Amino acid sequence: MPDRPDLPLNALRSFEVAARQGSFTRAAIELRVSQAAVSHQIGRLEDSLGVRLFHRTHGGLTLTDVGAILFPVMERGLDEIARTLDLTVSGQAVEVLNLGVVTSFATGWLIPRLNRFTDTHPRINLRLSTHNNRVEIAREGLDAAIRFGSGQWPGLEAHHLFVAPMAPLSAPQIPLKSPGDLRRQVLLRSYRSDEWPAWFSAVGEDCPPLTGPVLDSSVGLADLAENGFGVALLPLPVFARQLEAGRLVQPFAATVTLGSYWLTIPKDRRMTPGARAFLEWIRGITV
């Protein structure tokens, strides 16, 4: 076993939070201390190591080469300590899984099935937080995140869950008999500008000018469509309940697939046992 010098544990913890947050101010908020206290701890650590760990810039903090080597080691170590404490504090073997989930997937697909997971995995304490498909796993203290897209995200390892074909959905009272009828409707849009053009191309039509409102949430688009404010292009698997209840209808059979749902983790991390169990559980469900 290697010798352990007088480890400056508080300073190392301050370094990990500051590196993750990219700011002494945000680190101070997370640690519930003053910004001066964080700066002092970082200065103490840098003095003891004889190196600089951060470049201080007007835009915030960036890691030096040495800091970039130290950060993932500290992050993994503190994560392992936290998980071990979660297992031991109650005297029972319970793993906490902190999972970020894109909002539409959480509300439309996961939450209605969540009891199945908790029933079959009682030793995993699943803690969910939602996002709009933009999430920083490390900075937000997550173990993994579910998002929609191509599966190609820099620095992330993506594990495929299922494809999500998209189709126009509307309120039942909207008169739609052919794709051309959509030209007289408000076409609700997400921030992904290629979706409507791809669907119109799939049905052999030119895409009309897109002037409808832009939302960053499929849930918001579905709410507008359900209330008759326009037609939304939505992933069918996560809005099945609204379709079954008749609150939304799918006037055309044609779909377009522009992405899938993925479970993502940083490439420099190992997947936790809880995340692995969650991944296998989803893959075992027929969508």
Side-chain angles (χ1 to χ4, degrees), residues 259-278:
S260 297
Y261 288 101
W262 305 78
L263 180 74
T264 61
I265 59 171
K267 287 183 177 178
D268 60 358
R269 285 191 187 180
R270 290 178 298 173
M271 184 179 292
T272 67
R276 175 65 63 184
F278 185 80

Side-chain angles (χ1 to χ4, degrees), residues 137-208:
I137 294 174
R139 181 168 293 181
E140 296 178 27
L142 303 172
D143 297 303
I146 292 175
R147 67 188 76 196
F148 175 84
S150 66
Q152 302 297 317
W153 292 282
L156 293 178
E157 181 181 297
H159 301 266
H160 190 258
L161 300 179
F162 54 80
V163 296
M166 305 179 75
L169 302 184
S170 68
Q173 68 270 23
I174 302 294
L176 295 171
K177 297 184 182 299
S178 69
D181 293 337
L182 289 170
R183 298 180 183 278
R184 295 187 292 274
Q185 301 296 328
V186 175
L187 300 183
L188 306 168
R189 298 177 289 159
S190 79
Y191 61 88
R192 291 181 289 269
S193 61
D194 61 333
E195 292 178 345
W196 275 114
W199 186 84
F200 276 101
S201 177
V203 297
E205 295 269 354
D206 292 331
C207 184

Side-chain angles (χ1 to χ4, degrees), residues 215-234:
L215 280 71
D216 66 355
S217 167
S218 293
V219 174
L221 292 171
D223 284 343
L224 285 177
E226 187 176 328
N227 285 281
F229 291 110
V231 181
L233 192 63
L234 297 170

Side-chain angles (χ1 to χ4, degrees), residues 41-185:
Q41 291 287 357
I42 298 301
R44 177 189 171 203
L45 181 60
E46 290 178 328
D47 289 343
S48 69
L49 296 175
V51 295
R52 289 298 169 206
L53 299 171
F54 293 105
H55 297 297
R56 282 76 164 175
T57 69
H58 292 298
L61 301 174
T62 60
L63 289 166
T64 64
D65 290 344
V66 175
I69 293 172
L70 180 60
F71 171 59
V73 176
M74 285 303 307
E75 185 183 35
R76 287 194 297 270
L78 291 171
D79 284 346
E80 287 297 322
I81 291 171
R83 271 191 281 273
T84 301
L85 291 175
D86 282 333
L87 291 173
T88 59
V89 70
S90 64
Q92 298 181 351
V94 176
E95 178 183 351
V96 174
L97 174 58
N98 294 297
L99 185 68
V101 187
V102 64
T103 303
S104 57
F105 185 94
T107 60
W109 193 92
L110 179 57
I111 290 175
R113 296 168 171 81
L114 207 51
N115 284 340
R116 301 189 209 173
F117 179 76
T118 56
D119 288 346
T120 55
H121 297 84
R123 298 298 186 185
I124 298 176
N125 181 0
L126 182 60
R127 298 177 182 174
L128 298 179
S129 62
T130 59
H131 59 82
N132 64 353
N133 218 42
R134 298 178 178 92
V135 59
E136 296 186 46
I137 294 174
R139 181 168 293 181
E140 296 178 27
L142 303 172
D143 297 303
I146 292 175
R147 67 188 76 196
F148 175 84
S150 66
Q152 302 297 317
W153 292 282
L156 293 178
E157 181 181 297
H159 301 266
H160 190 258
L161 300 179
F162 54 80
V163 296
M166 305 179 75
L169 302 184
S170 68
Q173 68 270 23
I174 302 294
L176 295 171
K177 297 184 182 299
S178 69
D181 293 337
L182 289 170
R183 298 180 183 278
R184 295 187 292 274
Q185 301 296 328

